[in-house]
Amino acid sequence: YFGTDGFRGEANVDLTAMHAFRIGLFIGWYYGANPKQNRPADYRARIVVGKDTTAGGQSYIQVDGKDTVYLAEGAFHSVYGTPIDSVRSKDVFTLSSSEIMTVTVNGPSGSYVLRKNLSSADLSSDNSVAQTPVWELAESSLGSDVKCDTEKVTNWVNTVNTVKASSWAADDEPVRMENFYGSFRIGTGTKEIGMEFYSIPEDSEGKFLCKSTVSPYPFYLTKYYVEKFCKNFDELKASE
């Protein structure tokens, strides 16, 4: 059992994660858009948290610069100092490979568009089970006489239907157009998802700054993953 004045109970029975979340939600509302405070709806309170160096488990809290200073149990300075990258999900998007109908790549080695042709998929002998759909090269800057290998494309598509950020960039991270590396776009029957990749010359780890049409936040991917999305068509080309 644990708690403070007014909040007591057995952990994960009376005091649950949702209980704590609702308390935090109320505090945020009370010091934020509470109509009794006569503040605009988009108001955000400024909370200053300091540590009592004589007692590592206590913090000083000041709200909106007012003279009142609260002494709270708990090292809140470490809580409020938690970086967004450690709490935001790394998932950018996930699609089923079977949903993907088109793939468009614009990379250092050239640009091309692949399209899944369902009408080219022959039926099996019992006329009930469809074979693997055929992938075709719809557009290309590589010439009109090249063809793709359906098996190679299918295996590749199975690896690019999910994107997880290596880490999140700052929301205001500047994008330098001169560092544009390439782009990748996949389409289903109902939507398109696009990504753009920008190199970071000064980064020793070789990571790339990325933007996606399904995420309002910029993120980083390693060179390995960016090169996988901007795949050289030679690796997908049908054998002569």
Side-chain angles (χ1 to χ4, degrees), residues 13 35 51 58 60-61 64 74 88 94-95 97 109 113 142 144 150 158 163 192 194 212 217 228:
V13 176
K51 178 183 177 182
Q58 294 181 321
Y60 291 113
I61 298 178
D64 277 343
R88 182 182 290 162
T94 298
L95 290 174
S97 299
S109 61
V113 179
L142 311 171
S144 58
T150 289
N158 288 338
V163 175
E192 279 198 344
S212 172
Y217 312 111
K228 180 173 69 172

Side-chain angles (χ1 to χ4, degrees), residues 57-162:
Q58 294 181 321
S59 298
Y60 291 113
I61 298 178
Q62 185 181 40
V63 180
D64 277 343
K66 295 180 179 178
D67 293 337
T68 304
V69 176
Y70 303 92
L71 179 61
E73 292 290 335
F76 288 100
H77 58 284
S78 60
V79 175
Y80 289 111
T82 302
I84 189 66
D85 186 62
S86 65
V87 295
R88 182 182 290 162
S89 170
K90 298 294 193 300
D91 295 331
V92 179
F93 69 81
T94 298
L95 290 174
S96 168
S97 299
S98 61
E99 294 180 83
I100 300 175
M101 301 300 295
T102 61
V103 181
T104 303
V105 173
N106 177 19
S109 61
S111 60
Y112 56 89
V113 179
L114 300 171
R115 181 176 293 116
K116 186 189 291 182
N117 189 343
L118 296 176
S119 63
S120 298
D122 297 329
L123 294 177
S124 62
S125 57
D126 62 2
N127 293 326
S128 61
V129 181
Q131 299 297 312
T132 302
V134 175
W135 281 95
E136 297 177 342
L137 184 63
E139 300 176 26
S140 171
S141 64
L142 311 171
S144 58
D145 58 341
V146 293
K147 294 183 179 181
C148 62
D149 184 300
T150 289
E151 183 178 359
K152 293 178 181 178
V153 174
T154 299
N155 292 337
W156 173 58
V157 168
N158 288 338
T159 68
V160 295
N161 62 321
T162 297

